[in-house]
Amino acid sequence: MSERSCPISVSVVGRCPMSNNKEGRLGPRGCNFASFEQQGDIRAAFNIPVGVDPNQYLRQRAINELLYSDVPSMPTIKELQNSKGVKSLDSLNATEQDLLAVALGAPARQVLLHAEEVGPRTGWRDGYLSTEYGFCPPDADEAAGALARSPGRVWSDLCERMPGCVARGRVRESIAALAVVEGTEELIPDKALWAALVALGMLCSIYRYEDKHNGSEGVNVTSRSTTTNVEISDELGDEVKGIPKSIGLPYYQICKRMGRSIPHLTFFDQSSYNLKIRDPTSVHPYVGRFDNTDLRWPMFGDQSEIAFLKGCADTSASFQHGVDAIASAQEHVMTRNNEALLRELIRLKEILERMPNAFHSISMNPNSGENYVSPAEWVRWAKFSAPLSKRCPATSGLQFPPYLVMDAFLGRSKYESFLGAEGVHLRAWLPSNWRAFIASIEYHYRIPDYVAQSGDQRLMGALDSIVEAYTGERGFMGTHRYKVFGLLEVAGKTGRSETNGNSGSSDSNSRPWEETHKAFSDAMKERLEPYRGNLHVEPHQMRGTFAECRYKSRVLSRTFVDTDPSRSIARVMLDIQETGITFQPGDRLAIMPHNSLMECAKVAAALGLDTMLDQSVTLDKQWSRFAEHLGSVSNISTPQLTVKDILRRGHLAPLTKNLVMKLHTMLRTSSNTVLQILATTEWPVRASLGDLLQAVVTDTSSQIWDQAFDLSGDLAWLSELVPIEVPRTYSISNYPNELLPSTIDLTVSRSEYNLCPILSDPTTILRHGVGSSFLNPPVSSEDEFIADGEDLLIGVSRPLAFQLPIDDAAPCAFFAGGSGIAPFRSFWQARASCSVGKNILFLGVQSREKFCYENELREYIEAGLMEVYTTFSRDSRGLVFDRSRRELVEKEITPRYIDAVVVEQGAIVCDLVMSKKQGGLGGYLYVCGSLSVFDSVMSGIRKAIYNHRTARMESTDQILDIAFAERRFMLDVFMSPKPLPCNIPTIPLSQLAMHTGHTPNSRIYIAVHGSVYDVTDFCPMHPGGTNIIKSNAGVDCSKSFDLLAHTNNPEVSSLLNKYFIGHLTSKPNYHHCEEISMLYDLWSDYLRTSVETLVAHQFEVHEFMGSSKLWFQGSLFNMGGIRRFYHHQPRLLQNGFSALFGAKLQELFLKLSFTLANAVTNSSSSQLPDILGIIARAKGSQDAMTTTNEISQIGQFTCDSEAARFHEQGILEYARASVQLNMELLEGIREEACRGMDAFNTVMNLDAPSGTQRLTALSTFLLQVAERMAMRLEGFYSKLAPLSVYRPEMEQNPARTRWSLLRRKIQDGSFFILTQDIGVLTPQKNPYASQYLRGNEVELDHVITQIQQSIKRAPTLHPKALDLTAQHVARGQATPSNQVSAYESSENNHALKRMSSFMTSNMKAIRRLSKMPPQGSLSFEQLMNTYRPNSAAAVLPTPPSSRGSSRSRSSSHGADNFNPIMTGMGNLNIRSQNLKARNTSASSSQGRGIKGSITPPTPLLSSSAALLAMLNKLNKRQKPGASSPLPSPANTVSSAVMRGSMVSSRSRGSSVVGNVHLRARSMTSNANGGGSLRGFMLQQPRKGREEVGIAPTF
Ligand SMILES: Cc1cc2nc3c(=O)[nH]c(=O)nc-3n(C[C@H](O)[C@H](O)[C@H](O)COP(=O)(O)OP(=O)(O)OC[C@H]3O[C@@H](n4cnc5c(N)ncnc54)[C@H](O)[C@@H]3O)c2cc1C
């Protein structure tokens, strides 16, 4: 294949194979590569005649003919001799390397040619490699067909049966029954080798998997015999140990023949070599697309497995033409043909840019049909693909050749990170042809070196764009990293610990998915290092910063696009000649804007810098990085930045709080204007630094001013005051039909706002946005022309989901509002030249004057290439599209918005929205414009669907959700982030926590950086899939937002604004009470854990309970459902909901107990509730044991489907009822945690004489809540215990069910021991039970002993470092004792570490406290008495809850809340004698509100009431003038209101915000501030009375 050939047809000249018109255009490209012409190419360089293949030609020439064709003239030689000496003339001769290269050919090409020659004869045993198809064999049937025609057919037949065998639980049985067929040459031909390898490898893996896990992914409640009565291949090595010879022996033999010294299967084998191609002739843009393949041999047969493996294969297949592009690039380097090299580089970039899309074929959106991968299934895949022994390499994404090839191509030199080391390791195990290919580009004619030496800006630009496309933040590696984060987060919370490559193991310090994210980041940084140097920031921190603008450009022109004389929208043309930039329709340009000269002048004048504009400034860290960046972009050393640079490129407007606070501090809080600005309720403030300084300079003393802005020094304060501006994003509005475009068009709408009244009063002053007025300044302003010498930094990025379909025949609809037409111009220009699919534009603009690109559109309409429907919202001079006349016809129409025309064209819109499966056209829909445009379009579409297709409005959403999930509905909402008000009600953590959307019709809230959003409606549209949002429901997900670079993404911020519902109530100021502050952090962390656990369980349960296919295959019972349930339920039960009742709760208990003991120094008794004892007794109870036994029955079914068929309904019913109880428990814990959280908000409002008493009251209350949590666990087991799978009355054949049970019991002997009491944990086995079984209160030293035991029993926190493969193997092992999810494991490890260090640092105090003398007045018991039911305190009126109205009082507070539990328990048949005894002893014990384990939880008062009640019992200091020492609750509430720190109000009458705090008021409430901000700022911490106690070390 020549450097000019089309990758699709492989033809150099002739008809474009993708062309749809009859003439078969030559010029315009049907694809991105076909038939383009460049000057000065290889033909020109070597005078190659037209029509002759250049490679062929070159190979037949004499070496001298090629290398000495360009000998310089004699005068040039003389010149050289004179200037550089005679020795320099040696360079006139070719180097030996060049001679060799011309003689032998380019190394990469030679590897290819060799592979193509030998491969077909040898069954490609060196690995498939070809010019045309890269690493993926186009004929996937060849090897499989050869296997089917050989005796090895038995293996492929068994593979085909495998999903059925898994479903019946008969895997090992069927493999054991297989006849032994050897994998020798006589029986298995070379051609069948790959298929044999894959078939046998998969069979060995599934056998090992079943053997280890019995289908339960590592959770075993019973030990079952795994022996099969056949010959085993133990002597053949560890890999096939325990595996029957029928597959172990041939696997071993086939691997040997394939050159695999140790039998193993790679990820590539499992996916890319395990495919069937649907249509081998469907080659555009590559063969192995998701929609063109089937998985040949799935093992489990469910959709997730298929989608996951196909998606991985697709990603690799998208690199199909990369191999040829790289080999060609190397050839051009050898012949120093820059033009041809440039073309190959651009080609390679376009190939790489397909990879993210290919990877997105794996979808996290349950509506995405066959693309959906359930994270829970992914968990299982990790177990299945664990290596068969410690010796062989584990499956990893790095086994896909494109990655290691691209690393070599780009000259990666550092492989020190976890993934880097893994890459080096795995490379050694790749098939020989691939290793040879990688070596050929790594060690010879390295393209990056050549490009750097060439000095050709275009080559450098093109190479840089390859770097970005491959390993950049927005390139493949960036996309991959984000997607894996989402997948792992959900999977991690439901059982998976790491990626296939094992990055992110659960014993780490952070959450596994965060650690994986970091591992990917390290690898990305290593890859980027040759180009970006040693990066100081994480890749996601580069998003939305100058780092994304790596090219230089200038504005060429600004032209009118409509008839609006003010040119509020302009077409701005930028020069990109010589940059090497290429782009696709839909791409965006990031631009670093410059401030207008006027704004710079305002600042300079006020600061006195007007005469120092060219003086250099000492830079802070951020500006220094920017200077470095400027230097690297311009290929010069780091420039000095001057005052002018800072003013032009710094962020001057709008005013952020940070900026104004800096000024405030610099001016020593002396300016009233600054104070007024700071008191504003909407941020950022609509004004510039210049505006502010102009005003402030007049109201500040010159002395302060001079000190703040010292002009005599290095001006370092300037770079500290003014941060660097962030880039603005604009959709590219043109698509030129050139290989290397020379210009970029933008359609820029100048944004306007009114200057903030504080600075403009009494007049209204209009101001323009920084970026938009820089690009499109008001007509005839002095900023029309950008000063010479100022580099305009730009960068191109590809949106994740705003691209034209690959299929040119697919119809497209574009919905645009105003300047939202910008990206669509590039779409229609691109589509017009090559597509047959319909292009329909729906456009909404204000008036006819603002109809952009009207003339151009009319031309397209006339040519039959577009349909255009317009609406004008403020103009009745309408236009109607006339299809038959192909024109827009004038017509008087009442002004209307875009939704009107969408509804009008409803029928066609519906066809476009609906998928092909639903009978629609499966069209692609794009919306671009402001949020209001988006809302209007969506409302129009919904109405259209309702009018034409559905009976109910709700059903329209389902249709839309599918379009989003299929990635056919795409948004480009390009609003600037709008200011958010901060004087609206705040939402407490507990209210956030209650909105997890896990039950039907409930809402999903998330919190990000202090704001709360109701994202329920956005969920289905999220391009990353719905699951990732759902997995963060109800919690503060700021960290994930930062890690996923959402925080800097204007698109995300502006969209989020739409869903903003209020600010999160911030952590109260505890006035230096460190203990309360520490407890707050701990409790909020526990609340978060309870929410995340609930949500994660809901995910899992929803997936396996919601799928009928998982439970039934036609009329046959499917083991899939049982397995999933069996995977889920024992994990919970064995580990007793480890995240909630494990180390985290213990930590809370420890610190609460310690705090209480420490605070109540005079107490006679430090009796504490025995929370850990209750939990331990619950877990070891007869009920828990009965439940475990029942579950183990189900475990038996996973490998014995024979028995399962008699219990179908019983099993289903059992699963349904148990998961419901699980959810009830988890919801209950969340509710308790919310209750505790609320106490933190109210505690500081209570009128307590001392901090100690406040702390005591709070700790007591929280201990009570924690005790209730423990009791809920107890209640849970007692409800679960009566459930049984044995429900003959429900089954179709009750008699057979009874008989089956009896037969089983006789067989396993249990029939004869039915009377024996089995399974209850003896006291010896249960350390807590032995010590505390009888008492319900414990001393602090008992608590400490309990905790010490936990720490001692905990798995080693720092396990011995395992090597890479050993870690993979460990992943595949069944680890019944510690089979918690990665998430739980990480949470517990943290808690254990913290407890351990707490104990160490406070040991002295602990010792003292645990031996406290029994004297003094206050006891825990007394405290508890104050709010015991029936006591006076219990009837105290409850202050209003700080929680929202979304939880009704009856469901969240008070006795009613527990009625269902009480009723439930009342109905239970309590069978355990122990339990009865405990109940009796509990009810007889005196003086406590909370008693024995099965006693229904005591009705709770609200946190405020309980705290009040406790405080009322404490000694209180009289305040001067106080009328009553004991304020009534009403007084307390009103005094709280008076203080303004807590105001309860109903918001908007909806359930959304409910009872809330007014943040603004609480901000100004502090007395000594006198309501002024200065007072607030200067407020000194009030010194409370020093409490007697021991300061703990937290
Ligand atoms: C994906 C996308 C595509 C867009 N395409 C177009 C287009 O084709 N034509 C068009 O006219 N406009 C487009 N915009 C809007 C454009 O990026 C600017 O937001 C708009 O021009 C206003 O910017 P300004 O500097 O004039 O406003 P200003 O008032 O100076 O900025 C408003 C505030 O928003 C912040 N802000 C604005 N833009 C960004 C950004 N990109 N990143 C981070 N913060 C930002 C500023 O820092 C400032 O705080 C697009 C926006 C996005 C997100």
Side-chain angles (χ1 to χ4, degrees), residues 588 651 654 726-731 747-749 751 769-772 822 972 974 976-977 1050-1051:
R588 295 159 179 173
H651 178 97
V726 294
R728 303 292 191 266
T729 313
Y730 295 91
S731 305
T747 307
V748 180
S749 157
S751 70
V770 174
S772 54
D972 206 15
F974 61 65
S976 328
E1051 222 176 332

Side-chain angles (χ1 to χ4, degrees), residues 544 588 593 651 653-654 656 684 725-733 746-751 753 768-774 819-820 822-823 928 972-978 1048-1051 1054:
R588 295 159 179 173
H651 178 97
T656 61
E725 185 53 285
V726 294
R728 303 292 191 266
T729 313
Y730 295 91
S731 305
I732 296 177
S733 284
L746 305 178
T747 307
V748 180
S749 157
R750 191 170 52 252
S751 70
Y753 58 84
H768 301 296
V770 174
S772 54
S773 68
F774 163 66
S819 56
C928 185
D972 206 15
V973 178
F974 61 65
M975 285 290 293
S976 328
K978 288 270 171 292
N1048 314 337
N1049 186 341
E1051 222 176 332
S1054 44

Side-chain angles (χ1 to χ4, degrees), residues 198 338 641 775 824 1080 1096 1124:
V198 174
N338 288 4
L641 295 190
L775 291 168
F824 297 138
Y1080 178 97
R1124 289 286 294 275

Side-chain angles (χ1 to χ4, degrees), residues 210-251:
E210 292 274 322
D211 213 26
K212 280 256 174 295
H213 309 299
N214 284 330
S216 62
E217 284 87 36
V219 181
N220 289 317
V221 272
T222 57
S223 57
R224 281 163 289 181
S225 155
T226 57
T227 44
T228 40
N229 217 359
V230 287
E231 245 190 302
I232 297 293
S233 3
D234 285 2
E235 79 278 5
L236 298 175
D238 289 354
E239 296 69 38
V240 287
K241 204 169 178 178
I243 293 178
K245 267 219 166 109
S246 55
I247 53 172
L249 175 63
Y251 185 45

